[in-house]
Amino acid sequence: QLQLVESGGGLVQPGGSLRLSCAASGFNFNVYEVGWFRQAPGKEREGVSCISWNVDNTYYEDSVKGRFTISRDNAKNTVYLQMNSLKPEDTAVYYCAAVRRVAGWVSCNPDLYTTWGQGTQVTVSS
């Protein structure tokens, strides 16, 4: 059974940091593209950052470039999202998702992703 479990969310002050983790089980993680998506109240789900199966390609949404870093450890079947310099507008439910895809470029279109975690809340507030 394909499963993704997120952890690491919480409440943080503006300018603070959080590290999200996404643990995968039940499938060959090494041939899956993985991404982090977020959805704020009243807004559509958007791709925040995605990483290719072989780590060679990454995507960052413009508003998080220079602040967020995505990484993956295929030996541990885990993807991470390090979030620094957090802003109130980063507040959302963050989801991890995966799609079996081996390509020369990475896509962060949520419609492409087939397996989703349950989400973890990130709140940035003073």
Side-chain angles (χ1 to χ4, degrees):
Q1 180 180 358
L2 282 65
Q3 189 174 17
L4 297 171
V5 178
E6 302 98 334
S7 61
L11 173 64
V12 64
Q13 292 186 343
S17 298
L18 284 174
R19 188 195 196 202
L20 304 183
S21 298
C22 172
S25 61
F27 58 100
N28 183 2
F29 186 70
N30 294 357
V31 294
Y32 275 72
E33 203 157 286
V34 183
W36 286 97
F37 303 82
R38 66 187 178 187
Q39 188 165 20
K43 294 188 177 181
E44 292 188 356
R45 189 170 297 187
E46 64 174 354
V48 176
S49 182
C50 298
I51 188 166
S52 62
W53 64 281
N54 61 355
V55 191
D56 283 355
N57 298 288
T58 56
Y59 164 89
Y60 293 95
E61 194 269 330
D62 285 346
S63 69
V64 307
K65 286 180 180 177
R67 301 189 297 123
F68 291 10
T69 302
I70 192 170
S71 61
R72 67 188 292 167
D73 185 339
N74 286 346
K76 295 183 178 180
N77 284 3
T78 303
V79 172
Y80 306 96
L81 185 68
Q82 177 67 42
M83 305 187 295
N84 299 327
S85 302
L86 283 161
K87 304 175 181 180
E89 50 264 44
D90 294 318
T91 296
V93 178
Y94 282 70
Y95 298 90
C96 173
V99 57
R100 183 182 175 93
R101 183 171 182 270
V102 177
W105 53 280
V106 64
S107 172
C108 220
N109 180 351
D111 293 337
L112 182 68
Y113 285 71
T114 55
T115 301
W116 291 80
Q118 81 288 351
T120 185
Q121 177 70 46
V122 171
T123 303
V124 184
S125 175
S126 55

